[in-house]
Amino acid sequence: MTTTDAEANVAPEVRLFLARVRRELADLDPEVLSDITDGLEADFTELLEERGPDALGDPVEYAKELRAAAGIPAGVKAPRGFAEQVDGLLDAGHRRFDTALAKVGELLRTDLGPVVAWLRPLWWIVRAWAAVWLVAALFGWGMTSAAAVLLLVVAVAVSMFIGAGRVWPGGERGTLARVVLLGLNAFAAFVLFMTWANGGVGGTDYDRGWSDGFNEAGGGGGYAAPIDEQAGIYSGGKWVSNIYPYDASGKPLTGVQLFDQDGKPIDVVTQPDCTSTTAAPLPPLDADQIDMAEIACTDEMTGEPLQPRIFYPWSNGAAQLYNVFPLPSRVQPDTALDPNAFADGSDDAPVIQEPPLATVPKASLPGIATSSPSASPSASPSASPGESPGTADKP
Amino acid sequence: MDTTQLLKGVLDLTVLAVVDGEDAYGYDIVRKLRDSGLTDVGDASVYGTLRRLYAAGALTSYVVPSESGPHRKYYGITPAGQGQLKQQSEDWSHFSTTVTEILRGASA
């Protein structure tokens, strides 16, 4: 085969197809082979333009037909080497896929060829994303960081070029290159599956952006809100944003620590509460300054961003406690916790909102003494068990 | 009726006839055959036939470089090829007339 500068203008499909045909005819005398396949690049390029990539068909069948028509007996192949066996396996895989695709296409009464042709570049982009995701995970970058975005642009370009056969390994792929490519593709698929299984795709991009902003603001102290479908407390299917405990006498309590049967703190999830009716619209936004990911709440009617109600934790000096109720909160423009929110004299310090009910009816259980509401200064003496008005005055 | 078997018998003849008019490259010949009504003709069969006719001395071939893409390989007919074309055309005429008459006799 004569190599010309213009060869770069041959579509990769054509080069790949011809490489396979030549491999099928490898037993021929090199001169005969070049004679029989010379000029096919130009012809196939034209065929592709006229009838589309599917018109090329199966290279093995093509080589057979070529042999038969040319009166060249079917090749007596020398025992195949390991590389050729691997090549053969890969080719067989390709053929099986093509056959399966054609069968499915018949069932659906549509030609799936264009769909696959369209999906290939999409895969080239997705696998580039997977590679960058892996690198970003190794270096601890966020996918929205400048480095990751830059890398993604480069990776997509490289992936596209490889897919189109413009750079390594090109149209006529050696066995090793094919195996390496297959391995890389499979690995990319695995990475994607893992990110998907970990909920890494979709929702978490937003969450990661959210907690990135959260951490960058320095308020979270490295705390990333564990938000997923199962997190938090639900009552009657509705998300619980705060808990208001009352004692047996029906008086509201403040500073009640809650734990579950295993001694685990019962936390409400500290995600912004957008249902709060007091949420005021955000001040006019400068689009350059505010990352969209930080806008936690929008008005359902108008779509305007709203200031979320952010819940602040109690503290035991060492850790932030989200299991002490009720939680204080305030409405603020962003979702980041302000470490100085409780600073002395701060006008807008988070406060514990008025309980939804001033008092609730007394509750009792026969034979069970209710625990020490008298420890609370706000508890009235009348709430003490075993006491009744007047008994304390008894001399 | 499966025309692939019939095609095999007349591929040499038709390819020679196409090239007899003017030189052509492989895909050009495929297209001309298809456009003339031989829609079932396989690309590889045509290329194989070209190779066989060339090896038998019925065709010549030459390469035309292209500025924008890969070079094209053109085929032209040789005097031997023209002789083959004439001979096979007569054979075909005789054969097809015979078959047509047999069919006419059968339907009458």
Side-chain angles (χ1 to χ4, degrees):
Chain A
M1 179 186 105
T2 329
T3 309
T4 65
D5 292 339
E7 204 139 284
N9 289 338
V10 177
E13 295 99 309
V14 169
R15 273 187 282 163
L16 197 59
F17 183 85
L18 263 173
R20 295 209 186 122
V21 171
R22 289 203 174 97
R23 197 154 56 221
E24 288 300 314
L25 302 173
D27 57 298
L28 297 184
D29 187 58
E31 207 174 309
V32 177
L33 178 63
S34 112
D35 223 34
I36 207 168
T37 58
D38 208 11
L40 285 182
E41 277 90 352
D43 282 22
F44 284 169
T45 303
E46 196 173 339
L47 179 146
L48 211 67
E49 279 165 13
E50 245 184 55
R51 290 194 262 158
D54 292 337
L56 284 172
D58 176 25
V60 178
E61 284 303 315
Y62 189 94
K64 255 188 214 162
E65 195 180 325
L66 198 60
R67 257 181 214 279
I72 299 168
V76 189
K77 286 194 180 171
R80 298 199 300 173
F82 179 67
E84 282 172 329
Q85 283 181 24
V86 172
D87 262 341
L89 274 178
L90 291 174
D91 286 346
H94 256 285
R95 279 199 294 280
R96 225 166 279 152
F97 176 79
D98 289 345
T99 318
L101 195 69
K103 272 184 189 157
V104 174
E106 269 169 37
L107 280 178
L108 299 174
R109 292 175 192 285
T110 22
D111 181 13
L112 292 176
V115 181
V116 173
W118 187 83
L119 281 176
R120 283 183 70 203
L122 193 69
W123 166 245
W124 298 339
I125 294 174
V126 172
R127 71 181 178 188
W129 186 91
V132 174
W133 183 88
L134 197 69
V135 173
L138 286 177
F139 287 96
W141 305 337
M143 278 306 277
T144 49
S145 69
V149 170
L150 192 72
L151 197 62
L152 187 62
V153 172
V154 176
V156 166
V158 171
S159 173
M160 294 286 242
F161 274 116
I162 290 177
R166 293 287 184 217
V167 295
W168 177 93
E172 289 180 37
R173 294 168 176 180
T175 310
L176 183 65
R178 293 180 83 187
V179 172
V180 169
L181 264 186
L182 182 68
L184 284 176
N185 276 320
F187 185 63
F190 174 73
V191 168
L192 284 171
F193 174 76
M194 290 311 287
T195 54
W196 170 78
N198 292 331
V201 182
T204 320
D205 251 4
Y206 167 84
D207 293 342
R208 197 175 292 128
W210 189 80
S211 59
D212 275 354
F214 196 76
N215 292 335
E216 274 160 26
Y223 174 81
I227 297 174
D228 64 55
E229 295 287 318
Q230 303 298 318
I233 298 173
Y234 289 80
S235 175
K238 266 189 74 184
W239 177 59
V240 175
S241 63
N242 210 348
I243 291 174
Y244 289 92
Y246 292 80
D247 65 12
S249 70
K251 293 263 191 299
L253 296 175
T254 301
V256 175
Q257 308 195 40
L258 295 184
F259 294 86
D260 70 5
Q261 69 283 354
D262 299 320
K264 251 182 67 190
I266 297 179
D267 293 352
V268 292
V269 174
T270 58
Q271 67 191 38
D273 179 7
C274 294
T275 60
S276 177
T277 50
T278 57
L282 277 182
L285 288 175
D286 188 342
D288 294 334
Q289 284 176 353
I290 307 263
D291 185 357
M292 278 310 286
E294 282 184 30
I295 297 171
C297 301
T298 51
D299 189 307
E300 275 182 33
M301 303 295 285
T302 65
E304 288 292 308
L306 291 178
Q307 299 198 30
R309 176 169 289 282
I310 299 297
F311 291 90
Y312 279 76
W314 290 63
S315 172
N316 61 5
Q320 299 180 335
L321 304 175
Y322 279 99
N323 68 325
V324 187
F325 298 100
L327 292 168
S329 66
R330 72 170 182 189
V331 171
Q332 59 184 47
D334 52 8
T335 54
L337 292 182
D338 176 5
N340 300 319
F342 290 99
D344 286 340
S346 176
D347 283 343
D348 57 351
V351 292
I352 292 172
Q353 288 180 284
E354 279 298 305
L357 304 164
T359 55
V360 295
K362 286 183 187 180
S364 64
L365 204 57
I368 305 280
T370 50
S371 54
S372 62
S374 53
S376 159
S378 68
S380 124
S382 66
S384 302
E387 282 184 15
S388 59
T391 48
D393 295 331
K394 227 179 198 173
Chain B
M1 177 173 187
D2 184 7
T3 50
T4 8
Q5 293 301 317
L6 284 183
L7 264 176
K8 267 183 195 164
V10 295
L11 209 48
D12 287 20
L13 177 60
T14 50
V15 166
L16 282 171
V18 168
V19 183
D20 190 35
E22 60 178 324
D23 295 358
Y25 54 93
Y27 189 63
D28 199 19
I29 299 167
V30 172
R31 191 164 39 204
K32 279 177 179 160
L33 290 175
R34 287 186 172 219
D35 288 353
S36 307
L38 297 180
T39 47
D40 288 339
V41 73
D43 293 29
S45 298
V46 174
Y47 285 101
T49 303
L50 284 170
R51 157 71 199 167
R52 194 160 35 75
L53 290 173
Y54 171 80
L59 296 176
T60 56
S61 82
Y62 55 96
V63 160
V64 176
S66 151
E67 280 173 20
S68 61
H71 59 252
R72 286 200 184 290
K73 193 175 181 181
Y74 276 78
Y75 289 92
I77 199 161
T78 63
Q82 277 166 334
Q84 189 183 338
L85 173 62
K86 187 165 177 290
Q87 179 62 46
Q88 287 193 348
S89 297
E90 284 165 10
D91 289 351
W92 170 255
S93 289
H94 179 72
F95 178 76
S96 66
T97 313
T98 311
V99 172
T100 311
E101 269 169 19
I102 291 171
L103 293 178
R104 200 171 287 151
S107 65

